Amino acid sequence: MSSKSDKKITIHLIEDDVSQRDSIESLLAFKGFITKSYSTANDFLQTLPFERPAIVIADIQLPDISGVDLHRMLMEKNINPPIIFISGEASIQESIDAMKQGAIEFLVKPFEIDTLIAAVNNAIKIELKEINLNFLLKNLSPREFEVYNLLLQGLNNQELIDKLHLSLPTVKQYKSEVMRKLKVNSLSKLIELAR
């Protein structure tokens, strides 16, 4: 059963096979998801930039642009919703390329309904976490954002003092402000939030 927050997420489905597209779309609608469908990558690209939260389900073998190339184009535009690839006869190389590029799932047709729904639910979790993190990061001042990035790189207090030319009390103050604003209480939680 999908929760209320799922309803706000739009699933962009890019599939050129009409019967496949219709069957996936009606399944997702039945599960209560909002779905927008496209038969080509270019049709989908006309909608940019689209509202988030969103996830993308794309066939690897599209008539105009491959799913992997479409994903790369989105990333170049700094649009990076979670993406699930589907394919009829995926080569090992295609699936490796897709996963290396950050696809969260690669499903080979015909796939089980449960497998697709599990992938969609996983994508939604990732997307909502990302949206939440971006929302929280907007509360950081430019200096706090800098401290946040340095903390993610694993810098300790002394390295922060050297890098930022600040005193220990000031460094500690920035660290505690970053953690307070991101609603975490430890460095490990901060790293987990950003992962």
Side-chain angles (χ1 to χ4, degrees), residues 7-182:
K7 301 284 189 249
K8 291 191 213 93
I9 291 197
T10 303
I11 300 173
H12 295 274
L13 171 64
I14 311 149
E15 166 63 84
D16 58 315
D17 180 312
V18 180
S19 63
Q20 280 280 344
R21 189 172 65 238
D22 289 350
S23 101
I24 294 170
E25 197 174 6
S26 49
L27 167 73
L28 293 171
F30 174 72
K31 292 287 186 180
F33 295 110
I34 300 163
T35 310
K36 291 185 178 171
S37 297
Y38 315 89
S39 54
T40 67
N42 280 315
D43 286 351
F44 168 67
L45 289 170
Q46 301 302 311
T47 68
L48 299 184
F50 51 78
E51 272 188 43
R52 305 281 292 270
I55 66 172
V56 174
I57 301 174
D59 194 334
I60 282 281
Q61 309 280 346
L62 291 165
D64 49 356
I65 302 167
S66 83
V68 174
D69 287 341
L70 172 67
H71 190 201
R72 193 173 302 119
M73 289 163 78
L74 289 176
M75 287 173 15
E76 283 164 6
K77 294 178 191 297
N78 209 13
I79 300 170
N80 53 357
I83 189 158
I84 298 165
F85 284 119
I86 52 179
S87 180
E89 64 296 322
S91 74
I92 301 290
Q93 193 53 52
E94 277 179 333
S95 48
I96 290 170
D97 291 348
M99 295 317 261
K100 266 192 194 157
Q101 216 169 271
I104 61 153
E105 194 70 65
F106 195 102
L107 306 176
V108 179
K109 300 174 204 168
F111 41 78
E112 295 293 317
I113 288 171
D114 293 349
T115 309
L116 176 65
I117 295 302
V120 166
N121 285 327
N122 184 30
I124 286 170
K125 254 190 230 120
I126 291 167
E127 174 71 342
L128 291 178
K129 185 177 172 185
E130 173 83 8
I131 296 283
N132 180 47
L133 176 61
N134 289 339
F135 175 75
L136 294 174
L137 289 175
K138 285 191 178 109
N139 296 323
L140 299 183
S141 70
R143 183 61 117 175
E144 288 165 349
F145 190 70
E146 190 181 1
V147 169
Y148 162 77
N149 281 314
L150 293 172
L151 288 171
L152 290 184
Q153 291 167 34
L155 271 63
N156 63 28
N157 283 349
Q158 190 55 54
E159 291 166 319
L160 287 170
I161 290 167
D162 297 344
K163 185 101 174 155
L164 301 169
H165 311 292
L166 298 171
S167 67
L168 181 60
T170 308
V171 161
K172 285 184 167 177
Q173 180 60 41
Y174 274 121
K175 277 173 71 174
S176 74
E177 272 304 290
V178 167
M179 298 224 198
R180 183 185 68 77
K181 287 182 176 180
L182 296 184

